[in-house]
Amino acid sequence: MSLPKNIFGARAAILGGLAILTAPFLWTRLDPDFATGFVSLRLVPENGIQFLSVVVPAALVALAIAGLGRLWARYGSSKPLFETASHRLFESPRAMAATFAALAAAGFVMSGKALSLGTFVCIHMMLAIGLNVTIGFTGLLVLGYAAFYATGAYTFAIAAHALPVLPTWAALPLGFTVAAGVGFLVGLPCLRLRGDYLAIVTLGFAEALREILRNLSVTGGDMGLVVPMQARIKAIGPVGQGHASWIAAVGVTLLVALFVHRLYHSRIGRAWIAIREDETAAAMMGIPVVRLKLLAFTVSAGLAGTAGAFFAGFAGFVDPSTATFEQSVLILAMVILGGIGSLPGSILGAALLYLAPTLLRDWFPAISDYRLFFFGCILVAMMLFRPQGLCGSPRHKLELEGAS
Amino acid sequence: MQTPPNPDSGALLFSQMLEILINGLARGSVYALVALGYTMVYGILGMINFAHGEIFMIGMFAAVFALGAMGSAGLVAVGITLPLAILLAMALSAGFGVMNERIAYRKLRGAHLLAPLTSAIGMSIVLQNFVMLSVTKGKVDFPRAVAQPLANTTWSLGPVQLTALQAVIFATTFALMCGLFWLVQRTRLGIALRAVAQDRTMASLCGMKVDRLIAFAFALGSALAAAAGAMVAMYQGVLRFDSGYMIGLKAFTAAILGGIGNIPGAVLGGLIIGLTEDLTSYTIKSEWKQTTAFAILILVLWLRPRGLLGERVADKV
Amino acid sequence: MTPVLKATGVSKAFGGLKAVSAVSIESHAGQILSIIGPNGAGKTTFFNCLSGIYPLDSGTVELGGGRIDGLAPHLVSRAGLSRSFQNIRLFPEMTALQNVQVGRFARSPRQILGTILRTRAWRDRERASLERSEELLAFVGLGDRADSWARALPYGLQRRLEVARALATDPKVLLLDEPGAGMNPQEIVDMMALVKSIARLGVAVVVIEHHMKLVMEISDRIVVLDHGEPIAEGSPDEIRRDPRVVEAYLGRSEEPHG
């Protein structure tokens, strides 16, 4: 269309523009004068210096990682390493059993803190794998995924209060079924429409649900609910409560991954990918597009519900913060970072994005403030520079210019 | 429904209705301004600009910054500072809009729908948190000395009271909308924009600078959102880094209700949503605000997904 | 003999533009019916009407005695009508084999539980679908490219893959939208041989094509459209001699064609 531009010039223009536009936010401070009701503006460098002192090093680290990645792609193996490994793992029951046994046994040497951290990582792996079913396989953006997580968690907490005989394992089917049902109802009105409506509807649903959770008495309002002791994950013999949770988390995560792996490698999975690639052509192949989208969305919601119910049984409490936008964005960023449509990608993305902020918190306490900012940056940067994610094959559809 | 026991309370009800109408129209015209930005970008690029609510929020802050800068310079005459602040807010937000397009959308124009959608979400998160990190986590007050005189000046129009602030909102919105219609319908630029919306490739073959026109559409939509932001900041008196979120959701609902991609539809949708909200706020408690907004969105999508003025567009095969 | 596909008075307008008006065709098992006409004559729109992508303004479409007009595309496909697209629409991020397997979707039974548990019945059916897909790939001459990415195939092979994918739905009627577009002469000859062999399987084939020589060679019957209206129908010989056809293609004396 236009002459090849000087790339450096274009980048300089963007950086310059950003510097000018952000200047009032970074370098000034508003001083309200309560007596007169006016406000004045003062030049203050601290604000901007503090912001840049976090963002610039982070950007440099990201650039360095990207550079290493490029070197690896050029001189190292270009085979989709993770995809092959994950395929072999989930095709072999023996390899899965061995993985499970090894991870479960590792719990004996892990500290209490590591066990709890590991369990949380597993919960986020379940969530990322579940979200990937809609985003990755079917190409539908879901923004309020945490709503289904919260649905599962609250379902189990409420059910455990209502039925004191409810066993802990019931969390999984219960969380799955109720969240899947809710997902079905939310998806029904908008899945016949263009894909981007789903994004905003799920976003709105998550906010509405959080409001409902905070305002109803059955959900405990802002305080949330405590899960009765008998429904929580308990210590068994020599295995402490933390260790038992870790073993259960590893087991459930492997099951969730196997479930998704098997769906993916079946006619249903192929139909999902076909819908992502070309809806009209998929319909012409006899695929009921709306019904399969609804199925993907329902399964996805159900898996979030499973993770949520597991969380309730593990943590022993649920509160409205399970349904925050931040939680949804965290899961989304995991899927995007790991690789859209890639099962091992979701696992890797979940591990990285859950562990990194937690580990950084010790020597950089302000990280919790900057977390969401960086997640946003990850979403934009991955789409621009590596839409296939960290371990996707480098020729994902998203990257191809679809100009036809 | 109860019948009023005496004619007196009937009259009261009528004036109350008028008051709701005025408030609802003021609110609705603000939604309409924001909805125009959604609908223009959708009309041209065929995608939802998720960061639009954040541009609105940037506009709110920019207006306060502008007032602060003028205050520091000793300029305090509301008659001069307020219009100037709105204009400056529009300019800064237009800059953000263009930058947003340049970074998050341009490279992804031909890609799968998921890619620009994701980067737009990312952009929206980045903008919101940038303001949170660089300005404040808490609330910022809109300078009282600017808003109060306007809010306190009231005119009686028959049985209803109209504040000067509401008058400013109506006048500004009306002027901006007229300007936009004139621009889109009557100028060469508007014709070029419509051409790009219909067929981007053909427009570029006809020698139009498509990149610039799209950037211009973003600038225009952002400027309108900023004007709306400045006025809402004034009306509510406080602003926060997350103030754009709810307005964004509602304006989006308005754009769909009117038929997304349709400019008069956005205005109509905005007014309807604003009126509905003021009507219901008398009956529904504010703790259920988001749930109500969501219910309306679902209802619109369920009953009339193509909107009031929208047409069905067939898939090109 | 009763036709497999019978379209009667099919009309479709976009705004004021009549893209297709009152077109009727009959397509018989094992025969090749060609639809020709200048650019913009409404041929592809007609296909979109038949396959349920556009709703009809008026007219009926019957397949094997049952009405299929007004059905959604996936139901049309299930009823036994399949098609290819003018601008190839494969699933680019799937292998050639997977593309064909997608075509088997409606012909393999629903088994969600079996899928997850990988029961023996599921594995048997999955293998059957795989074998049928491999067979179809071999039939169109792609037997050795099963694991290639669809987008990585050369253009001519992509067209063949689209045909295999369409055949995977076990169609009674196959609509081919310009199967020879963009191909070199040799590829066109091969493609036409393929189309003939599909008809020999007992499928009713409807082809939109521009290469007149080939249309004349393979068609049993030909329908000519101009400005959305049928202007002639008959055997290749009849069409060749029809003055209206010549006029539609070469233009009337005062009016340029387009």
Side-chain angles (χ1 to χ4, degrees):
Chain A
M1 258 192 293
S2 57
L3 290 168
K5 279 181 210 139
N6 182 349
I7 302 283
F8 187 75
R11 278 186 196 168
I14 289 179
L15 283 178
L18 281 181
I20 295 169
L21 290 173
T22 55
F25 295 88
L26 285 179
W27 308 112
T28 66
R29 183 166 294 164
L30 289 165
D31 286 324
D33 183 342
F34 292 106
T36 63
F38 280 106
V39 67
S40 57
L41 203 63
R42 204 154 42 94
L43 276 176
V44 173
E46 293 97 77
N47 243 359
I49 289 173
Q50 199 206 347
F51 180 78
L52 291 182
S53 70
V54 176
V55 172
V56 171
L60 291 178
V61 169
L63 276 178
I65 294 174
L68 284 177
R70 243 174 232 188
L71 277 180
W72 165 260
R74 188 171 300 166
Y75 300 111
S77 155
S78 62
K79 256 189 172 174
L81 202 69
F82 291 102
E83 293 290 340
T84 321
S86 124
H87 192 82
R88 289 216 181 122
L89 173 67
F90 292 115
E91 285 296 323
S92 150
R94 244 183 258 167
M96 282 192 63
T99 311
F100 174 69
L103 287 173
F108 283 110
V109 294
M110 284 158 78
S111 69
K113 208 178 150 197
L115 285 171
S116 145
L117 191 60
T119 308
F120 272 115
V121 169
C122 282
I123 290 174
H124 284 87
M125 284 177 177
M126 297 176 212
L127 288 168
I129 292 169
L131 182 59
N132 211 347
V133 172
T134 27
I135 293 197
F137 299 169
T138 326
L140 297 166
L141 189 55
V142 176
L143 283 182
Y145 194 58
F148 304 108
Y149 178 55
T151 305
Y154 271 92
T155 300
F156 184 58
I158 293 170
H161 274 289
L163 281 174
V165 291
L166 198 72
T168 310
W169 60 263
L172 305 178
L174 199 65
F176 186 91
T177 318
V178 174
V182 172
F184 180 82
L185 291 178
V186 173
L188 205 54
C190 50
L191 280 169
R192 348 164 248 153
L193 309 172
R194 266 177 53 117
D196 32 11
Y197 287 158
L198 184 70
I200 223 147
V201 166
T202 52
L203 180 65
F205 172 66
E207 292 301 316
L209 183 78
R210 198 153 58 94
E211 203 177 65
I212 293 169
L213 295 176
R214 291 175 59 183
N215 287 336
L216 290 183
S217 58
V218 66
T219 52
D222 278 325
M223 299 303 293
L225 289 173
V226 172
V227 179
M229 273 320 274
Q230 98 281 346
R232 296 191 202 170
I233 299 174
K234 290 173 278 287
I236 308 163
V239 176
Q241 198 248 345
H243 193 180
S245 303
W246 160 250
I247 293 175
V250 169
V252 176
T253 307
L254 281 173
L255 281 181
V256 164
L258 182 70
F259 175 82
V260 170
H261 172 85
R262 289 194 163 175
L263 275 181
Y264 182 70
H265 292 281
S266 77
R267 70 195 263 282
I268 295 170
R270 287 191 293 269
W272 282 339
I273 309 287
I275 290 170
R276 181 188 79 195
E277 303 277 300
D278 190 330
E279 252 183 74
T280 308
M284 222 44 246
M285 291 303 111
I287 295 170
V289 172
V290 176
R291 212 181 303 161
L292 269 139
K293 279 185 182 174
L294 202 51
L295 177 67
F297 189 58
T298 307
V299 165
S300 193
L303 291 176
T306 311
F310 185 92
F311 167 79
F314 160 64
F317 73 94
V318 292
D319 66 18
S321 74
T322 43
T324 51
F325 182 55
E326 180 164 3
Q327 180 69 33
S328 296
V329 171
L330 171 66
I331 307 165
L332 178 66
M334 287 167 175
V335 173
I336 301 284
L337 181 71
I340 297 171
S342 157
L343 180 59
S346 300
I347 294 172
L348 183 74
L352 281 178
L353 280 194
Y354 193 82
L355 289 175
T358 316
L359 299 179
L360 285 175
R361 197 176 291 154
D362 286 343
W363 54 275
F364 177 49
I367 186 76
S368 50
D369 282 346
Y370 282 84
R371 215 158 71 122
L372 212 49
F373 179 81
F374 285 129
F375 290 162
C377 292
I378 286 175
L379 294 187
V380 180
M382 291 306 282
M383 283 302 113
L384 291 180
F385 304 116
R386 204 177 154 82
Q388 75 275 19
L390 287 182
C391 62
S393 58
R395 18 179 160 68
H396 195 273
K397 164 93 180 215
L398 295 176
E399 193 185 26
L400 297 171
E401 290 288 313
S404 57
Chain B
M1 275 293 202
Q2 280 182 334
T3 43
N6 58 54
D8 240 26
S9 76
L12 191 76
L13 214 64
F14 178 69
S15 71
Q16 240 177 5
M17 286 294 280
L18 276 178
E19 198 188 313
I20 292 174
L21 191 73
I22 299 262
N23 286 338
L25 283 179
R27 191 188 294 270
S29 53
V30 168
Y31 291 163
L33 276 184
V34 184
L36 281 171
Y38 278 112
T39 235
M40 275 200 297
V41 167
Y42 190 93
I44 288 175
L45 289 180
M47 51 163 286
I48 298 167
N49 179 9
F50 267 106
H52 196 57
E54 267 53 61
I55 300 284
F56 168 92
M57 178 272 296
I58 297 263
M60 288 176 125
F61 276 88
V64 180
F65 277 124
L67 286 171
M70 287 185 269
S72 302
L75 200 59
V76 287
V78 173
I80 304 166
T81 53
L82 188 59
L84 212 56
I86 294 182
L87 283 177
L88 283 171
M90 289 170 77
L92 191 82
S93 289
F96 268 97
V98 170
M99 210 37 96
N100 179 22
E101 190 270 336
R102 187 73 188 77
I103 295 173
Y105 297 92
R106 186 173 294 182
K107 207 186 146 195
L108 300 172
R109 235 177 254 161
H112 190 283
L113 187 65
L114 197 56
L117 221 50
T118 310
S119 76
I121 291 294
M123 219 49 197
S124 142
I125 297 166
V126 166
L127 285 176
Q128 217 185 85
N129 285 275
F130 168 71
V131 173
M132 183 196 89
L133 291 167
S134 66
V135 183
T136 175
K137 273 190 212 176
K139 285 175 180 165
V140 171
D141 291 315
F142 191 85
R144 183 164 40 88
V146 179
Q148 212 111 42
L150 285 169
N152 289 342
T153 314
T154 52
W155 298 305
S156 299
L157 294 175
V160 271
Q161 303 270 311
L162 182 73
T163 68
L165 194 51
Q166 284 170 328
V168 166
I169 291 179
F170 284 131
T172 315
T173 315
F174 189 70
L176 287 172
M177 280 174 190
C178 290
L180 182 72
F181 285 125
W182 173 77
L183 185 100
V184 171
Q185 296 296 335
R186 294 284 144 146
T187 61
R188 277 173 60 88
L189 198 60
I191 294 171
L193 276 178
R194 282 186 286 151
V196 172
Q198 290 201 346
D199 191 332
R200 214 180 303 151
T201 319
M202 199 59 216
S204 84
L205 289 176
C206 291
M208 292 174 198
K209 295 201 164 86
V210 171
D211 281 351
R212 277 193 202 173
L213 284 166
I214 290 177
F216 177 73
F218 268 84
L220 208 57
S222 307
L224 294 181
M231 290 187 294
V232 169
M234 203 159 37
Y235 202 64
Q236 295 181 341
V238 286
L239 42 150
R240 257 170 66 114
F241 66 93
D242 57 359
S243 299
Y245 167 77
M246 270 308 274
I247 293 253
L249 188 59
K250 283 174 191 161
F252 173 76
T253 311
I256 296 185
L257 178 63
I260 195 151
N262 184 313
I263 289 183
V267 176
L268 184 67
L271 292 178
I272 293 177
I273 296 279
L275 276 173
T276 329
E277 209 176 296
D278 262 62
L279 278 175
T280 49
S281 66
Y282 282 77
T283 49
I284 296 171
K285 276 190 281 177
S286 70
E287 297 96 79
W288 297 102
K289 245 177 11 194
Q290 315 223 1
T291 315
T292 321
F294 174 68
I296 294 175
L297 174 65
I298 285 282
L299 262 161
V300 169
L301 286 176
W302 183 267
L303 301 174
R304 186 118 189 132
R306 255 159 256 121
L308 297 171
L309 304 181
E311 284 170 37
R312 186 188 180 140
V313 187
D315 181 20
K316 274 183 205 159
V317 178
Chain C
M1 201 169 95
T2 51
V4 182
L5 178 76
K6 188 176 173 197
T8 317
V10 170
S11 298
K12 177 76 193 171
F14 296 106
L17 176 78
K18 280 185 184 162
V20 174
S21 50
V23 177
S24 302
I25 60 162
E26 286 185 358
S27 169
H28 295 270
Q31 292 201 351
I32 298 172
L33 172 76
S34 292
I35 299 177
I36 63 171
N39 280 329
K43 303 180 299 275
T44 297
T45 307
F46 181 58
F47 266 20
N48 286 340
C49 290
L50 292 183
S51 51
I53 290 170
Y54 295 158
L56 303 187
D57 291 343
S58 62
T60 60
V61 184
E62 281 171 47
L63 193 139
R67 290 275 292 270
I68 60 163
D69 52 278
L71 292 184
H74 72 273
L75 295 175
V76 171
S77 162
R78 280 169 188 226
L81 183 145
S82 194
R83 68 173 289 183
S84 72
F85 294 89
Q86 189 179 357
N87 47 337
I88 303 174
R89 292 181 83 156
L90 290 165
F91 307 120
E93 290 303 306
M94 300 177 97
T95 63
L97 183 64
Q98 285 168 339
N99 264 275
V100 183
Q101 279 184 291
V102 169
R104 296 300 300 162
F105 182 86
R107 305 295 170 211
S108 27
R110 246 194 286 188
Q111 277 191 308
I112 294 199
L113 212 60
T115 304
I116 288 154
L117 300 177
R118 296 236 164 139
T119 54
R120 176 174 295 252
W122 178 84
R123 271 179 285 156
D124 288 347
R125 279 159 177 168
E126 186 76 3
R127 195 178 311 119
S129 133
L130 190 71
E131 278 164 8
R132 173 83 179 124
S133 303
E134 281 169 342
E135 209 177 285
L136 283 166
L137 273 183
F139 176 73
V140 301
L142 277 167
D144 53 342
R145 302 298 292 266
D147 292 328
S148 305
W149 293 106
R151 65 183 148 64
L153 288 173
Y155 186 80
L157 296 187
Q158 289 196 3
R159 284 230 173 264
R160 286 174 165 265
L161 178 56
E162 230 195 352
V163 173
R165 189 182 67 175
L167 284 175
T169 64
D170 295 342
K172 294 184 196 121
V173 180
L174 179 64
L175 312 183
L176 297 174
D177 197 345
E178 298 198 26
M183 287 183 160
N184 66 37
Q186 181 55 45
E187 283 173 330
I188 290 175
V189 171
D190 293 346
M191 175 55 84
M192 287 307 156
L194 177 64
V195 174
K196 275 187 186 169
S197 61
I198 292 169
R200 272 199 298 277
L201 295 172
V203 177
V205 184
V206 185
V207 183
I208 291 177
E209 196 41 89
H210 273 306
H211 301 273
M212 287 311 280
K213 188 162 162 272
L214 289 147
V215 169
M216 295 298 167
E217 267 171 33
I218 62 164
S219 307
D220 294 296
R221 287 189 77 73
I222 296 175
V223 172
V224 188
L225 295 188
D226 188 25
H227 292 102
E229 288 174 41
I231 57 167
E233 187 184 349
S235 68
D237 278 340
E238 288 162 359
I239 293 297
R240 198 174 284 142
R241 287 192 295 269
D242 195 314
R244 286 168 301 180
V245 179
V246 177
E247 191 182 89
Y249 269 86
L250 300 179
R252 295 157 193 95
S253 46
E254 70 276 3
E255 186 183 37
H257 79 288

